[in-house]
C-alpha cells in the first residue's frame, strides 16, 4: 500500500481520536504530494459468494465500501493494513455486503482499534443481532442514516466530502434490509498556483497577506489604495474529482434511482449540473444493469468512467486468494486423492461489459482509478493479478524440492494394488517407500469399512485454522458430503460459502448448498459460526422457486438469539434446535416421553422430528451432541451411520464420526469417541505449549491423539490449528501412526482412510523448508 503512516504508534487510536485529529488538520491540499485512488478489492469476484469491496485510499486514511465475507483474509493477503481503515460504509445491510463485518470488528477490537461503520437505518438490526457475540465497545461507532429526501452528508473533511442517497422501494414492496445506498464522494478542488508577479504588481509583497489570499480572503494592497482579491493573483483551480458508488439491487430500487432529483447536480449538460463525475463503480447486478433504463441513466453522466463490479464473470478463473490457491495446487500435485483440484468444468469466462454501455469496463481485482495526483487521473491496471498457471507452480516446486516427483509417485502407489487396478488402496507391504516411520504398521480395517463405496461419505475441510482467517487457512467449517443423500456442515465460519465454491466450482457449489440438510454449530465463538447467515440466505435464494423444507440449524441456545435478531433483516428459511436437546439424555427422554396428544413447544417436538426425518433421509442413525470443556455452551458431536447390508446379505455396522469442536481433553469426549471410525479433533497448539492450551481451553496435538487412542478411534484427523502455524503445525512423528493433518480443501473419502496416515511423511517432505511462525502478540486464540 502507498502512503503508509510513518508512526505505527498513531495507528492504535479510537475513532473519536481520529476525528479530532482530522478536524485539527489544515484543509490545504498540496497536489504535488497528495495520493488518492479508488481500488476494487475483489473478495468474492472469483466465487460470486459476496459483494466486492471498494477502497478509497488517502495518504492519511482508508475508507471501505462494503465488507463482505473474506474481506479480512483478502486484506491479509494483500498487506492492506486494517489499522488505516477509518470508515466502513455499507451500500446495503445484508450477509452479501456485511458478512465480513463481525470478524473484522472482533479483530480490530482485540487490537484496540475502532472503525466507524455507516449504513442505511437497517444497520440497527444487524447491530442488535451482533450484540449476541461481539463486545459493545466494538459496536459503539456504528450508526445508521435515512431514509430521507435528498442526500445525507456523512463526512466533510480536508480529504473528501461523502454523502449518501438512500434508495428504498415503496412501503408496499419494501421491508427491513431492502434499503440501498448510492454514495457520492467529492474531493475538494485543488487551488491554482499563486502568481508572484501579479501580487507584486498589485502591491502585495511576501508576508501574511499572501497567506490570506491563498486561503481565499481578500486583502488590502501593501502600497496601493486597492483591495486585492484571490482571483487577482491565483491561477485557475482544478475541480475535485467525483466518484459514485452505486448499488441498485432490484427493479423496485431502479424506479427510485431514476426519479431521484439529487443526481441532477451531476448529470452532464443538465441546467442544474455544476459538477463532472469522474468515475462510477456499479455494484448493481446484471439483471438491473442490463435494463435500457439503467443504460440511459448511466449515459447522463457524460464522459464518466463506469466500472461494472456486479459479479462480472470475467474474473472467475483468477483466484482472489493467490497464496491459498498456490498452496492447494502444490498439495494436489503431491496427493490428488486427498487434495483434488477445483471442479471448474462449469466455470466459464464472459466477455467484457456490454460495449453499448458508455465508457464502461468490467471490474478486475485490485484495479485502480487514480484520483490524485491530477496528472495521473484515470484507470490503472498495474496491480491487477494475472492468471495462476498450475504448471508454473509445479515447475517451481520441482526446482525447490527436487525429490518431490518421487514422493508424488510413491503417494500414487498407495491407491494401486500390485495388480495395478485403480481405486484400491494397497497394503503397506505392496509398496516401496522412500521414507521410514511408524505410519505403516496398522493394516487392520474396521468392520464398518468393509466393502465401503466411494459414494458413502466424504469429509471436506473448508476451514482448518483458528481465531481468524489467514493466507493459507480459513476458519472452521467441515462439509459432510453424503453424495446423493445431501450433506451437513459442522461449524460454519466466515467464508464457508466461498470455500465451497472454490472446492466444487461456482455452479456446482450451489447444488451442494441446495442439498444441505442440517448445519451443526459447536459454540458461539465467531470463527465457528460467522458464515452461517450467508449460507442460509444463499440457500433461501437458490430454493425460492422450489418447494422445500427449512434447513435445520443445531447449535447453542445463544445462537438462536442471534439468528432471530438477524432475521429482521433477511429471512434465513430455517428452524433451530438447541444442542442441549440433542444430547444422549435429552433424546432418550424425548423417545420415552408418553404421548398424550398435547405438544409442548418448549420440548422442540417439531424440530426433533425434523432431525429424525433428516437423519433417516441421509442414511444416518444418530446425531448426538455432548458438552465439552471450552466455554459456556460448547459442544462436540457424534454422527453415526445406519447399518447397511452388503451384496451377499451381510449386515455391516455403520461408520461413526466424532467432531470435538473446541475443547480441552475431557472424559465426555473420550466416551463419545469410543470406537469412532474418525475422530476430528482440534489441535490448536503444538506439544510444547500445554500451558497456553490450558489457559485458552484448547488442546495440543499430542493431547488430541491421546484422546483418540484412549477411545480406540481408527483414524484421528487434527484441525483448528493456531495461525502461528501458517502451513503445517509442529508435531512429533512418534505418535502419528493413525493420524492425519487437515488442510483447507482436503477431501477425505471413507474408502481412503487406510492411506490417511501413510501420506503424512510425504507431506513432511513438501513442508520441510517451512518454519513455523514464532509466537507473536498479534495471534489471539478464542
Amino acid at each position: 500500500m502507498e502512503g503508509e503512516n510513518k508512526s505505527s504508534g498513531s495507528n492504535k487510536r479510537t475513532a473519536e481520536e481520529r476525528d479530532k485529529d482530522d478536524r485539527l488538520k489544515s484543509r490545504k491540499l498540496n497536489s504535488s504530494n497528495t495520493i488518492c485512488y479508488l481500488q476494487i478489492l475483489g473478495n468474492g469476484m472469483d466465487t460470486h459468494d459476496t459483494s466486492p469491496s471498494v477502497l478509497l485510499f488517502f495518504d492519511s486514511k482508508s475508507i471501505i465500501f462494503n465488507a463482505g465475507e473474506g474481506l479480512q483474509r483478502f486484506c491479509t493477503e494483500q498487506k492492506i493494513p486494517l489499522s488505516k481503515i477509518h470508515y466502513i460504509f455499507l451500500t446495503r445491510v445484508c450477509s452479501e455486503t456485511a458478512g465480513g463485518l463481525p470478524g473484522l470488528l472482533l479483530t480490530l477490537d482485540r487490537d484496540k482499534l475502532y472503525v466507524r461503520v455507516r449504513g442505511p437505518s437497517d444497520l440497527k438490526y444487524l447491530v442488535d443481532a451482533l450484540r449476541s457475540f461481539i463486545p459493545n465497545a466494538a459496536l459503539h461507532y456504528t450508526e445508521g442514516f435515512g431514509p430521507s429526501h435528498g442526500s445525507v452528508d456523512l463526512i466533510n473533511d480536508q480529504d473528501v466530502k461523502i454523502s449518501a442517497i438512500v434508495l428504498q422501494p415503496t412501503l408496499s414492496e419494501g421491508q427491513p434490509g431492502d434499503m440501498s445506498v448510492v454514495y457520492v464522494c467529492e474531493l475538494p478542488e485543488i487551488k491554482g498556483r499563486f502568481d508572484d508577479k501579479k501580487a507584486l504588481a498589485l502591491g502585495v509583497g511576501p508576508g501574511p497577506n499572501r497567506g490570506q489570499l491563498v486561503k481565499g480572503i481578500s486583502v488590502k494592497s501593501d502600497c496601493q489604495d486597492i483591495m486585492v482579491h484571490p482571483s487577482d493573483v491565483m491561477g485557475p483551480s482544478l475541480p475535485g474529482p467525483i466518484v459514485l458508488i452505486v448499488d441498485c439491487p432490484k427493479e423496485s430500487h431502479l424506479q427510485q434511482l431514476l426519479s431521484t432529483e439529487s443526481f441532477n447536480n451531476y448529470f452532464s449538460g443538465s441546467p442544474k449540473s455544476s459538477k463532472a463525475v469522474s468515475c462510477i463503480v456499479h455494484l448493481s447486478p446484471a439483471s438491473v444493469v442490463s435494463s435500457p433504463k439503467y443504460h440511459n441513466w448511466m449515459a447522463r453522466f457524460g464522459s464518466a468512467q463506469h466500472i461494472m463490479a456486479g459479479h462480472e464473470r470475467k474474473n472467475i478463473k483468477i483466484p482472489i486468494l493467490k497464496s491459498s490457491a498456490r498452496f492447494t495446487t502444490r498439495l494436489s500435485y503431491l496427493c490428488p486423492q486427498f487434495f483434488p483440484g477445483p471442479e471448474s468444468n462449469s466455470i466459464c469466462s464472459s466477455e467484457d461489459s456490454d460495449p453499448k454501455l458508455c465508457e464502461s469496463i468490467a471490474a478486475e481485482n485490485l484495479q485502480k482509478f487514480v484520483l490524485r495526483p491530477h496528472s495521473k487521473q484515470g484507470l490503472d491496471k498495474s496491480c491487477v493479478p494475472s492468471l495462476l498457471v498450475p504448471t508454473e507452480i509445479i515447475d517451481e516446486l520441482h526446482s525447490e524440492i527436487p525429490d518431490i516427483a518421487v514422493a508424488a509417485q510413491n503417494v500414487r502407489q498407495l491407491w494401486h494394488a500390485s495388480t495395478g487396478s485403480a481405486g484400491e488402496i494397497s497394503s503397506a507391504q505392496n509398496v516401496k517407500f522412500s521414507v521410514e516411520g511408524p505410519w505403516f504398521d496398522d493394516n487392520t480395517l474396521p468392520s464398518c469399512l468393509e466393502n465401503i463405496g466411494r459414494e458413502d461419505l466424504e469429509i471436506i475441510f473448508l476451514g482448518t485454522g483458528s481465531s481468524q482467517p489467514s493466507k493459507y487457512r480459513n476458519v472452521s467449517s467441515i462439509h459432510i458430503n453424503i453424495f446423493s443423500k445431501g450433506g451437513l456442515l459442522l461449524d460454519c465460519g466466515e467464508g464457508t460459502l466461498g470455500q465451497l465454491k472454490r472446492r466444487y466450482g461456482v455452479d456446482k457449489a450451489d447444488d451442494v448448498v441446495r442439498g444441505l440438510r442440517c448445519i451443526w454449530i459447536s459454540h458461539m465463538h465467531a470463527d465457528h459460526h460467522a458464515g452461517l447467515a450467508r449460507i442460509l440466505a444463499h440457500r433461501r435464494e437458490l430454493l425460492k422457486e422450489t418447494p422445500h423444507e427449512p434447513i435445520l440449524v443445531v447449535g447453542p441456545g445463544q445462537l438462536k438469539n442471534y439468528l432471530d435478531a438477524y432475521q429482521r433483516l433477511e429471512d434465513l428459511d430455517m428452524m433451530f434446535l438447541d444442542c442441549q436437546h440433542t444430547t444422549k439424555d435429552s433424546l432418550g427422554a424425548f423417545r420415552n416421553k408418553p404421548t398424550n396428544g398435547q405438544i409442548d413447544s418448549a420440548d422442540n417436538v417439531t424440530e426433533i422430528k425434523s432431525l429424525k426425518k433428516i437423519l433417516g433421509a441421509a442414511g444416518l442413525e444418530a446425531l448426538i451432541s455432548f458438552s465439552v470443556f471450552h466455554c459456556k455452551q460448547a459442544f462436540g458431536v457424534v454422527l453415526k451411520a445406519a447399518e447397511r447390508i452388503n451384496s451377499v446379505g451381510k449386515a455391516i455396522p455403520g461408520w461413526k464420526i466424532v467432531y470435538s469442536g473446541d475443547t480441552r481433553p475431557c472424559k465426555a469426549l473420550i466416551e463419545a469417541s469410543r470406537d469412532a471410525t474418525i475422530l476430528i479433533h482440534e489441535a490448536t497448539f503444538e506439544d510444547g505449549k500445554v500451558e497456553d492450551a490450558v489457559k485458552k481451553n484448547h488442546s495440543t496435538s499430542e493431547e488430541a491423539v491421546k484422546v483418540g487412542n484412549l477411545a480406540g478411534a481408527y483414524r484421528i484427523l487434527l484441525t483448528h490449528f493456531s495461525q502461528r502455524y501458517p502451513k503445517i503445525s509442529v508435531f512429533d512423528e512418534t505418535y502419528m501412526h493413525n493420524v492425519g493433518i487437515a488442510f483447507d480443501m482436503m477431501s477425505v473419502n471413507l474408502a481412503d482412510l487406510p492411506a490417511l496416515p501413510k501420506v503424512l511423511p510425504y507431506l513432511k517432505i513438501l513442508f520441510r523448508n517451512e518454519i513455523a511462525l514464532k509466537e507473536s502478540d498479534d495471534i489471539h486464540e478464542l
Side-chain angles (χ1 to χ4, degrees):
M1 294 295 295
E2 301 170 79
E4 281 285 354
N5 284 343
K6 293 182 179 178
S7 172
S8 61
S10 66
N11 289 342
K12 297 199 171 184
R13 303 178 297 164
T14 67
E16 288 175 347
E17 289 171 332
R18 286 172 169 173
D19 286 353
K20 183 178 179 181
D21 285 353
D22 287 346
R23 289 194 296 269
L24 292 174
K25 289 177 182 174
S26 166
R27 293 184 63 85
K28 181 180 177 182
L29 282 174
N30 183 343
S31 60
S32 63
N33 60 14
T34 299
I35 295 173
C36 177
Y37 56 79
L38 199 73
Q39 187 169 32
I40 304 296
L41 305 185
N43 49 307
M45 271 192 168
D46 58 339
T47 52
H48 292 191
D49 63 302
T50 195
S51 175
S53 297
V54 180
L55 171 72
L56 182 58
F57 177 88
F58 296 94
D59 291 319
S60 58
K61 62 173 174 274
S62 293
I63 296 169
I64 284 182
F65 298 88
N66 287 347
E69 286 193 358
L71 175 60
Q72 183 179 182
R73 192 179 186 194
F74 181 86
C75 288
T76 300
E77 170 97 0
Q78 300 298 331
K79 295 182 172 58
I80 298 173
L82 300 180
S83 58
K84 289 199 66 176
I85 301 173
H86 285 211
Y87 287 87
I88 295 175
F89 291 106
L90 301 178
T91 60
R92 285 176 287 134
V93 185
C94 60
S95 60
E96 184 183 3
T97 59
L101 195 58
L104 189 62
L105 290 176
L106 284 168
T107 297
L108 291 171
D109 181 62
R110 285 195 292 267
D111 293 338
K112 305 303 180 188
L113 291 165
Y114 301 101
V115 62
R116 291 194 177 278
V117 182
R118 298 286 184 268
S121 56
D122 297 337
L123 182 60
K124 64 185 177 184
Y125 299 119
L126 177 61
V127 172
D128 288 344
L130 295 181
R131 293 192 195 282
S132 302
F133 61 94
I134 292 182
N136 285 331
L139 298 169
H140 180 71
Y141 301 103
T142 56
E143 185 177 340
F145 53 81
S148 64
H149 297 290
S151 61
V152 180
D153 289 344
L154 303 173
I155 298 179
N156 191 0
D157 61 22
Q158 80 286 349
D159 292 320
V160 65
K161 175 186 175 184
I162 296 182
S163 55
I165 299 172
V166 179
L167 307 178
Q168 185 178 35
T170 60
L171 291 177
S172 60
E173 299 173 301
Q175 59 186 12
D178 267 359
M179 275 190 280
S180 182
V181 180
V182 176
Y183 288 102
V184 181
C185 310
E186 302 181 56
L187 274 64
E189 66 178 12
I190 298 178
K191 296 186 181 299
R193 291 181 178 275
F194 187 89
D195 192 319
D196 288 314
K197 291 182 179 179
K198 286 185 178 180
L200 288 172
L202 293 170
V204 181
N209 277 351
R210 288 193 173 189
Q212 293 291 89
L213 287 166
V214 170
K215 292 178 181 179
I217 302 171
S218 299
V219 299
K220 187 174 182 180
S221 171
D222 298 337
C223 55
Q224 300 179 37
D225 189 21
I226 60 171
M227 291 295 294
V228 180
H229 304 288
S231 59
D232 297 330
V233 295
M234 300 290 294
S237 297
L238 289 173
I242 299 174
V243 171
L244 270 60
I245 311 292
V246 180
D247 190 351
C248 183
K250 300 177 184 176
E251 180 71 25
S252 54
H253 295 87
L254 178 56
Q255 297 305 318
Q256 189 170 7
L257 181 77
L258 299 176
S259 61
T260 299
E261 293 183 359
S262 299
F263 294 115
N264 291 340
N265 296 325
Y266 305 97
F267 288 145
S268 175
S270 169
K272 295 184 179 180
S273 175
S274 59
K275 306 170 182 179
V277 175
S278 305
C279 177
I280 304 178
V281 178
H282 298 266
L283 300 175
S284 311
S287 59
V288 172
V289 171
S290 60
S291 163
K293 293 180 180 178
Y294 197 93
H295 289 199
N296 293 337
W297 182 80
M298 291 172 60
R300 298 188 70 181
F301 291 97
S303 60
Q305 175 66 65
H306 297 271
I307 300 176
M308 316 308 293
H311 289 326
E312 292 290 315
R313 280 259 173 175
K314 175 181 179 181
N315 303 285
I316 206 164
K317 289 189 176 182
I318 302 176
I320 299 304
L321 303 172
K322 273 203 159 185
S323 296
S324 176
R326 183 181 298 273
F327 184 58
T328 303
T329 299
R330 291 162 69 105
L331 286 166
S332 182
Y333 171 77
L334 178 65
C335 183
Q337 292 81 5
F338 285 140
F339 303 98
E343 298 181 20
S344 58
N345 56 348
S346 64
I347 296 178
C348 61
S349 175
S350 73
E351 297 178 356
D352 260 8
S353 297
D354 190 334
K356 294 178 288 185
L357 287 180
C358 318
E359 289 293 324
S360 67
I361 187 171
E364 296 181 78
N365 182 31
L366 299 179
Q367 180 185 72
K368 292 180 181 179
F369 189 90
V370 177
L371 302 169
R372 299 257 199 249
H374 180 78
S375 61
K376 295 184 179 180
Q377 184 172 312
L379 284 169
D380 177 2
K381 293 190 174 186
S382 61
C383 296
V384 173
S386 57
L387 191 66
L388 202 66
V389 181
T391 54
E392 293 179 1
I393 298 171
I394 302 309
D395 289 344
E396 179 186 85
L397 179 60
H398 284 157
S399 176
E400 180 185 329
I401 307 173
D403 52 348
I404 196 66
V406 175
Q409 180 59 37
N410 283 342
V411 168
R412 286 172 176 79
Q413 289 179 359
L414 293 172
W415 273 264
H416 295 271
S418 55
T419 57
S421 58
E424 299 178 8
I425 300 170
S426 65
S427 61
Q429 57 264 33
N430 290 334
V431 182
K432 181 179 179 181
F433 296 100
S434 63
V435 294
E436 295 180 358
W439 293 273
F440 312 113
D441 299 332
D442 183 9
N443 291 319
T444 59
L445 198 69
S447 56
C448 66
L449 296 183
E450 184 178 329
N451 301 124
I452 197 76
R454 296 203 66 82
E455 294 203 355
D456 281 46
L457 172 74
E458 189 171 48
I459 303 169
I460 295 93
F461 289 87
L462 303 172
T464 57
S466 69
S467 186
Q468 63 192 57
S470 71
K471 285 168 60 173
Y472 303 106
R473 292 185 185 271
N474 201 47
V475 286
S476 297
S477 184
I478 301 169
H479 179 221
I480 304 298
N481 183 13
I482 316 179
F483 296 94
S484 62
K485 298 177 181 178
L488 300 84
L489 286 177
L490 304 182
D491 280 335
C492 190
E494 178 190 338
T496 292
L497 179 58
Q499 293 290 84
L500 281 170
K501 297 210 170 198
R502 291 182 182 95
R503 170 59 182 84
Y504 291 105
V506 170
D507 297 323
K508 286 187 177 180
D510 286 346
D511 293 334
V512 171
V513 174
R514 290 186 187 95
L516 287 175
R517 301 291 179 256
C518 176
I519 301 177
W520 183 91
I521 303 296
S522 62
H523 64 290
M524 279 301 291
H525 285 160
D527 57 324
H528 292 257
H529 71 81
L532 182 56
R534 185 74 197 106
I535 284 279
L536 295 176
H538 187 61
R539 179 182 181 272
R540 179 211 68 224
E541 187 67 20
L542 291 172
L543 294 173
K544 65 182 179 182
E545 305 295 337
T546 306
H548 65 280
E549 296 289 331
I551 193 171
L552 180 64
V553 175
V554 182
Q558 194 178 359
L559 182 64
K560 185 176 188 298
N561 298 335
Y562 163 63
L563 294 173
D564 285 348
Y566 187 89
Q567 288 199 102
R568 297 185 71 181
L569 275 175
E570 51 185 339
D571 178 24
L572 298 180
D573 191 22
M574 49 145 285
M575 61 175 64
F576 184 85
L577 182 59
D578 195 319
C579 282
Q580 294 279 15
H581 296 120
T582 63
T583 63
K584 187 175 182 180
D585 289 344
S586 293
L587 291 172
F590 175 81
R591 283 193 297 268
N592 297 328
K593 185 175 181 179
T595 57
N596 55 11
Q598 297 179 348
I599 296 179
D600 182 358
S601 60
D603 287 339
N604 292 276
V605 172
T606 302
E607 290 78 7
I608 292 176
K609 286 184 176 179
S610 177
L611 175 62
K612 292 179 68 176
K613 180 180 178 181
I614 289 167
L615 295 177
L620 300 177
E621 182 180 284
L623 180 154
I624 301 173
S625 304
F626 56 92
S627 295
V628 295
F629 193 83
H630 180 60
C631 65
K632 184 179 180 181
Q633 295 189 51
F635 296 90
V637 68
V638 177
L639 290 176
K640 182 75 168 65
E643 183 182 82
R644 57 190 172 90
I645 306 298
N646 69 8
S647 58
V648 295
K650 178 182 177 181
I652 307 294
W655 45 260
K656 176 180 177 181
I657 294 176
V658 180
Y659 172 49
S660 72
D662 285 8
T663 185
R664 289 287 299 144
C666 60
K667 182 178 179 180
L669 177 55
I670 295 172
E671 290 302 317
S673 304
R674 293 288 178 198
D675 300 321
T677 314
I678 308 172
L679 168 60
I680 303 170
H681 199 301
E682 72 115 296
T684 309
F685 292 97
E686 63 181 280
D687 298 341
K689 297 191 177 296
V690 176
E691 290 185 6
D692 290 338
V694 171
K695 181 180 178 181
K696 297 290 188 178
N697 286 335
H698 284 296
S699 301
T700 67
S701 297
E702 184 176 18
E703 287 175 329
V705 173
K706 283 183 177 179
V707 168
N709 289 337
L710 286 170
Y714 173 62
R715 290 290 181 256
I716 304 163
L717 260 167
L718 304 182
T719 187
H720 195 267
F721 299 104
S722 168
Q723 303 293 15
R724 61 169 52 85
Y725 316 117
K727 293 184 179 178
I728 192 167
S729 181
V730 178
F731 58 86
D732 185 342
E733 62 186 46
T734 60
Y735 57 71
M736 302 293 282
H737 68 282
N738 60 344
V739 179
I741 301 291
F743 296 86
D744 284 19
M745 302 298 159
M746 185 178 187
S747 299
V748 180
N749 194 291
L750 267 190
D752 296 334
L753 282 184
L756 184 63
K758 301 174 184 179
V759 171
L760 192 54
Y762 298 103
L763 289 173
K764 289 189 67 177
I765 294 174
L766 182 62
F767 297 114
R768 68 186 178 194
N769 296 334
E770 303 292 337
I771 301 175
L773 283 180
K774 293 182 179 179
E775 188 171 355
S776 166
D777 291 338
D778 292 334
I779 295 175
H780 305 266
E781 310 303 342
L782 296 178

